[in-house]
């Protein structure tokens, strides 16, 4: 059974948590005691209905304010597919949390309040989805019950978003009218909207095709750990453990270890359950080579004629996540795949206005939640692809070495 990673986004009070609660409830993915607790809390707060948003808003501050602050992960499954849902916050000051939730997603659901239409935050989140190259996007026009199930309202929002999305890099966009509160069009088709002939949200989530989203061509295996048991049964065992970032690996493949460039051949690929014929993303495996080579964490196993850039000069788009502004000349830690080193911010090419997509080339710094293009130089070479080509080897984070806080998430445009 395959897995679909979903991130929800949208403006404040568009109903993200309620929608996830509805998906969990209608797919029978919550326990009786959880439902009893939610019913009790809803009653204590004077709600006229069972507030399904309480299933995901777990922090006390979230429940008191009726908002989402942290990224909440929920797991459920249907007979057809398993799901991990990241419920990300809608407030503008929590944009960094949304980036965190969407960076590993296969599909993003951006909710739009049918009464308000597309607002600034809806556009911001749609742009971030395109920036993070999430392959599939669903615009869920929520609260259709509050606009009397109006087809005209839905079509106006669909038309407005389609015009905006034409400027973004999103391959697959679906617009679905729903009411998370009543459950219309979430798991079952709505009787209140006979004019809508498309699939329900759950039907789309169960059937969206993700097999072609993974990069199966470019073999990239970042080494995370070297396994040397040092016991009588495994005197000469040397294995390289990690997660396959892209491509397909099997015993007998000719490979090269970077950055040294030394060639070898794969002797065996195995998991915790034993040897496997093929390894592909996102499998975690141990690779053994025919030769005893000097391989350590941060190195990468690739094919001889298909290699990433070995680069110290990086051009990238970043989302700044720190309260302290980013400054040119700043020195930070950088982590890309399993490689950790240091980086210098050489130049801020431009800041980006999310709403107009206008480039501000006069920008001198980036503040919290702002996005821009920067040029950096690393102290040690990175083994990098462009983010467009490979979301794993093209992504990185910047780290404040004093506080150890992550201050930025980056997407590599080019490396040299």
């Amino acid at each position: 059974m395959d897995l679909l990673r979903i991130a929800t986004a949208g403006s404040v009070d568009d109903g993200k948590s309620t929608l996830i609660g509805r998906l969990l409830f209608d797919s029978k993915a919550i326990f009786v005691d959880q439902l009893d607790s939610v019913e009790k809390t809803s009653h204590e707060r004077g709600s006229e209905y069972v507030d399904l948003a309480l299933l995901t808003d777990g922090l006390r501050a979230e429940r008191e304010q009726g908002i989402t602050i942290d990224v909440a992960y929920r797991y459920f499954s249907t007979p057809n597919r398993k799901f991990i849902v990241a419920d990300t916050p809608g407030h503008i000051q929590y944009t960094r949390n949304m980036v965190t939730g969407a960076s590993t997603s296969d599909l993003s659901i951006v909710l739009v309040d049918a009464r308000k239409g597309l607002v600034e935050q809806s556009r911001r989140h749609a742009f971030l989805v395109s920036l993070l190259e999430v392959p599939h996007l669903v615009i869920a026009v929520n609260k259709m019950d509050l606009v009397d199930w109006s087809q005209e309202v839905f079509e106006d929002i669909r038309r407005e978003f389609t015009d905006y999305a034409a400027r973004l890099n999103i391959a697959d966009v679906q617009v679905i009218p729903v009411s998370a509160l009543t459950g219309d069009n979430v798991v079952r088709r709505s009787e209140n909207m006979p004019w809508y002939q498309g699939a329900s949200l759950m039907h789309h989530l169960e059937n969206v095709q993700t097999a072609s989203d993974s990069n199966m061509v470019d073999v990239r295996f970042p080494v995370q750990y070297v396994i040397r048991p040092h016991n009588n049964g495994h005197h000469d065992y040397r294995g390289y453990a990690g997660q396959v970032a892209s491509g397909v690996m099997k015993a007998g493949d000719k490979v090269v270890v970077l950055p040294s460039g030394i060639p070898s051949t794969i002797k065996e690929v195995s998991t915790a359950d034993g040897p496997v014929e093929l390894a592909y993303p996102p499998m975690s495996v141990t690779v053994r080579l025919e030769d005893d080579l000097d391989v350590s964490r941060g190195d990468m196993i690739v094919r001889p004629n298909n290699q990433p850039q070995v680069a110290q000069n990086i051009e990238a788009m970043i989302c700044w996540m720190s309260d302290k502004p980013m400054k040119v000349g700043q020195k930070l830690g950088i982590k890309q795949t399993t490689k950790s080193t240091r980086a210098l911010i050489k130049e801020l090419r431009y800041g980006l206005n999310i709403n107009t997509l206008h480039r501000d080339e006069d920008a001198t710094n980036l503040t919290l939640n702002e996005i821009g293009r920067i040029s950096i130089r690393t102290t040690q070479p990175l083994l990098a692809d462009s983010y467009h080509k490979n979301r794993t080897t093209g992504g990185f984070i910047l780290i404040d070495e004093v506080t150890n806080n992550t201050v930025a998430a980056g997407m590599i445009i080019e490396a040299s």
Side-chain angles (χ1 to χ4, degrees), residues 138-152:
V138 173
I139 302 299
V141 182
N142 193 25
K143 305 190 180 181
M144 289 296 295
D145 53 311
L146 299 182
V147 293
D148 296 325
W149 316 102
S150 168
Q151 180 179 5
E152 184 180 351

Side-chain angles (χ1 to χ4, degrees), residues 174-204:
Q174 299 290 328
V175 186
I176 301 174
V178 299
S179 171
L181 184 64
T182 62
D184 283 71
N185 239 18
V186 178
V187 172
R188 285 173 286 277
R189 290 283 302 276
S190 170
E191 295 179 0
N192 293 305
M193 294 181 281
W195 46 265
Y196 175 71
Q197 299 299 310
S200 68
L201 178 61
M202 178 61 89
H203 184 273
H204 179 69

Side-chain angles (χ1 to χ4, degrees), residues 245 300 314-317 336-337 383-397 409-414:
M300 189 178 291
I314 307 293
E315 293 282 331
M317 297 294 294
Q336 178 253 357
T337 64
L383 308 171
D385 295 290
S386 69
Y387 190 81
H388 177 70
K389 181 178 181 180
N390 193 313
R391 289 174 75 190
T392 303
T393 57
F396 64 87
I397 57 172
M411 288 70 69
I412 296 171
I413 298 171
E414 58 183 355

Side-chain angles (χ1 to χ4, degrees), residues 276-340:
V276 293
E277 285 189 23
L278 297 173
Y280 46 85
M283 289 175 63
S284 294
V285 298
T286 299
V287 175
R288 296 179 65 196
L289 301 178
E290 294 284 1
D291 308 283
D292 287 336
L293 306 179
D294 179 13
V295 181
S296 57
R297 178 182 172 87
D299 291 353
M300 189 178 291
I301 297 174
V302 302
R303 297 301 295 271
N305 299 319
N306 184 338
Q307 301 185 18
Q309 292 290 325
V310 181
Q312 288 181 268
N313 295 302
I314 307 293
E315 293 282 331
M317 297 294 294
I318 65 165
C319 174
W320 191 251
M321 298 178 168
S322 173
D323 296 318
K324 296 178 182 177
M326 183 214 81
K327 294 174 182 168
V328 175
Q330 195 170 356
K331 294 177 182 176
L332 297 162
I334 183 170
K335 187 172 188 301
Q336 178 253 357
T337 64
T338 56
K339 179 78 172 180
S340 297

Side-chain angles (χ1 to χ4, degrees), residues 373-388:
R373 176 169 173 167
I374 63 169
S375 173
I376 61 177
R377 179 165 176 91
T378 60
T379 55
Q380 296 177 21
L382 299 183
L383 308 171
D385 295 290
S386 69
Y387 190 81
H388 177 70

Side-chain angles (χ1 to χ4, degrees), residues 109 129 155 159 176 195 250 337 376 380 400:
I109 302 173
V129 167
E155 289 296 338
R159 197 176 303 112
I176 301 174
W195 46 265
K250 65 182 185 299
T337 64
I376 61 177
Q380 296 177 21
D400 185 323

Side-chain angles (χ1 to χ4, degrees), residues 153-174:
V153 170
F154 171 74
E155 289 296 338
D156 286 345
I157 293 172
R158 187 184 65 79
R159 197 176 303 112
E160 184 182 359
F161 182 81
T162 302
D163 292 343
Y164 178 73
R167 294 184 286 167
L168 304 178
N169 179 32
I170 306 174
D172 174 31
V173 180
Q174 299 290 328

